[in-house]
Amino acid sequence: MPTYTNDPTLPTPSFPGSHMVIDDHYVFISGLTVADLSNGHAARGDVKEETRLVMRAISRMLEMEGGSFADVVRVDIHLTDLHTLQELDGVYAEHFDPGRYPARTCTESANICGGCSVEITVMAKRQHQSAQ
């Protein structure tokens, strides 16, 4: 049975959803933007800094479940401007071992919640499966 949980270091979601849904095999992390972070407001509009802060929050959430970016199997990214993709990629790639990048979708979305430039969603394999 899935567990629905929120990261206690983040503000409660302003949407009807959870930060994370965890089952026996995967950790699903809802799309995160800097607007979802208590310290992210000053970063809005700076794709590199938005990406850095969101990836840091995702890393912390993965660690809460005993995982890391090495366990990530899929990432969905939304950018308000695909012309900033190289800026995002420069920060994004720092979190993965070269040649071990997860499957990824990246789209341009004209409006991202909170007036942000980047939103990132993650699916990761769980390290610790519950006893059955």
Side-chain angles (χ1 to χ4, degrees):
M1 179 127 250
T3 302
Y4 304 85
T5 188
N6 291 317
D7 181 333
T9 68
L10 297 178
T12 302
S14 60
F15 57 91
S18 303
H19 290 135
M20 293 186 288
V21 176
I22 301 136
D23 70 12
D24 290 342
H25 304 284
Y26 294 97
V27 175
F28 302 91
I29 299 178
S30 289
L32 284 178
T33 69
V34 291
D36 298 316
L37 312 177
S38 58
N39 64 343
H41 301 292
R44 280 193 197 139
D46 180 336
V47 171
K48 286 182 178 181
E49 190 58 21
E50 284 190 34
T51 303
R52 188 170 288 111
L53 290 172
V54 169
M55 293 295 277
R56 192 175 298 148
I58 291 169
S59 176
R60 185 181 60 253
M61 294 166 85
L62 291 168
E63 288 172 8
M64 287 172 47
E65 292 304 314
S68 71
F69 278 110
D71 304 306
V72 173
V73 295
R74 178 165 177 79
V75 176
D76 292 314
I77 299 173
H78 302 282
L79 287 168
T80 55
D81 182 358
L82 278 177
H83 291 102
T84 62
L85 183 58
Q86 285 186 324
E87 293 175 51
L88 174 133
D89 280 345
V91 175
Y92 174 88
E94 294 172 2
H95 296 276
F96 300 98
D97 291 333
R100 296 194 44 93
Y101 302 110
R104 183 174 106 173
T105 298
C106 187
T107 62
E108 184 173 283
S109 302
N111 295 301
I112 295 176
C113 290
C116 301
S117 300
V118 177
E119 181 174 13
I120 302 173
T121 305
V122 169
M123 177 180 166
K125 187 84 171 130
R126 282 196 70 196
Q127 287 294 310
H128 306 286
Q129 296 184 12
S130 62
Q132 297 189 23

